Amino acid sequence: MAQNIFDCPQPDENGYFGEYGGAFLPPDLEPIMKNIAEEYEKIRKDPDFIAELTDLYQHYVGRPSPIFHARHLSEKYGTPIYLKREDLNHTGAHKINHTLGEALLAKKMGKKKLIAETGAGQHGVALATAAALVGLECDIHMGEVDMAKEHPNVVRMRILGANVVPVSHGRKTLKEAVDSAFGAYMADPDSQFFGIGSVVGPHPYPEMVRDFQSIVGVEAREQFQEMTGELPDNLVACVGGGSNAMGLFTAFMNDETVAMHGAEPSGRSLEEPGEHAATLTLGEPGIIHGFKTYMLKDEEGEPAKVYSVASGLDYPGVGPQHSYLKDIGRVQYGTVSDKEAIDAFFELSRLEGIIPAIESAHALAHAFNLAKANPDIGTILINLSGRGDKDIDFVAEKYGADYGI
Ligand SMILES: *Cc1c(COP(=O)(O)O)cnc(C)c1O
């Protein structure tokens, strides 16, 4: 590796990026998070840990993932467009980069079991994969409504040896699954490790998940220079919790000529509450899931109901470092509608022969919009965070008629 992935700017000792982040926890949990932060601080400097993770990235995940010059898209939009192919990773997305890191850390800390919630099941599958490889038990809590909707991922997790715990109270979706997983974790935090699925949650998770994902940008920076002799003029990534975006952005943070763009989902409507998940665009600072960040609030100040066609992007909060990067103006955040994302999904499929995840299609659509608005924008490097296999049935059923399917 050209540069150590753990060599990134860190938050302050309490886990703050500017005024965002920190750890807002029930007293029982404070010593547990402190212990994880301390152990992580040690391990991120341990050459054996770095070597083990690097080896898995190469031989298990299939890293480095290539950068592809998308010539047909470049021609159509009148500017050079490149894709960082995280869709080619084992399990089909960027999430494996951090679930492997979390699993290795849990193992080194002597934990027996990984525990997490999952909505659509992507995080659950990535964590179950890492648990199988590293040799840990794995409990994934999932709402019964989501289990019915995302049946193939339930089967995948079970094939991988994970225990899928059905959650049958309330609306039986992600929020109840979070509560259920958290309750089970608190019952035995000594032998279990909570595997968070993005750069969110209390300190040290935003920093830790970001570090594990930063391999994406470290590789991309070197590959892009090798291919073109220069740095990219623009980076674009979709933002749900924000892990694939932080993964790409981090290595370029000090490159002043590189503009960075995050794409949030405006869903069906930016005007109507509950019809989008544009947290940085329309939210305000608050505390959600144990950390301070921009968030979408309902009338009681609680996390609002949100929506996006991409289930990986419908979160009412966002990683705290994104909130900081928005405030200081280092990253520009914009929005992409369901319709624009689905158009981009088909455009990449038909112009380049690559079926993207609907989440990643938001990054594509944002890049296309930027190119249309500014003919002199220069080169654009898009993080293609995952592949669209998981989405094809849904897209064909819901949108197929409009696209000749
Ligand atoms: C989960 C997921 C996302 C959203 O997560 P971030 O933490 O915002 O990166 C994006 N793309 C794909 C393919 C995903 O599976």
Side-chain angles (χ1 to χ4, degrees), residues 54-55 64 69 79 81 104 177 185 205-206 209 223 260 263 282 349:
T54 305
D55 185 73
H69 181 192
T79 206
I81 294 176
L104 277 185
Y185 174 62
Y205 283 90
V209 171
Q223 290 167 315
M260 302 186 188
L282 291 179
S349 299

Side-chain angles (χ1 to χ4, degrees), residues 186-233:
M186 285 308 290
D188 181 10
D190 286 333
S191 79
Q192 305 185 100
F193 187 93
F194 206 101
I196 292 184
S198 187
V199 286
V200 299
H203 178 63
Y205 283 90
E207 160 195 347
M208 181 167 73
V209 171
R210 188 273 321 263
D211 291 353
F212 294 146
Q213 284 297 344
S214 64
I215 184 70
V216 175
V218 168
E219 286 174 6
R221 195 173 181 281
E222 190 172 302
Q223 290 167 315
F224 197 91
Q225 284 178 297
E226 227 163 72
M227 283 175 90
T228 69
E230 287 162 23
L231 289 171
D233 297 312

Side-chain angles (χ1 to χ4, degrees), residues 92-95 98 122-123 197-199 238-245 312-313 357 359-360 385-387 390:
H94 70 288
K95 286 194 174 75
H98 71 251
Q122 296 306 113
H123 174 52
S198 187
V199 286
C238 63
V239 178
S243 65
N244 87 86
L313 302 181
E359 290 81 4
S360 320
S385 55
R387 68 177 82 131
K390 67 185 177 61

Side-chain angles (χ1 to χ4, degrees), residues 54-70:
T54 305
D55 185 73
L56 290 179
Y57 281 162
Q58 187 179 350
H59 299 287
Y60 187 73
V61 179
R63 308 206 67 90
S65 65
I67 286 183
F68 175 66
H69 181 192

Side-chain angles (χ1 to χ4, degrees), residues 68-77 81 83 343-356 364 368:
F68 175 66
H69 181 192
R71 289 180 179 79
H72 299 113
L73 287 177
S74 303
E75 199 173 309
K76 172 156 185 195
Y77 290 100
I81 294 176
L83 309 174
D343 281 344
F345 174 94
F346 279 100
E347 196 152 75
L348 186 69
S349 299
R350 292 176 178 183
L351 285 182
E352 305 288 356
I354 299 170
I355 304 176
L364 292 163
F368 302 162

Side-chain angles (χ1 to χ4, degrees), residues 91-93 95 120-122 149-150 152-153 156 309-313 345 355-360 385-395:
T91 68
K95 286 194 174 75
Q122 296 306 113
K149 243 166 78 183
E150 309 289 346
N153 277 340
R156 275 185 198 105
V309 66
S311 51
L313 302 181
F345 174 94
I355 304 176
I358 305 181
E359 290 81 4
S360 320
S385 55
R387 68 177 82 131
D389 300 29
K390 67 185 177 61
D391 299 315
I392 55 172
D393 290 336
F394 169 81
V395 169

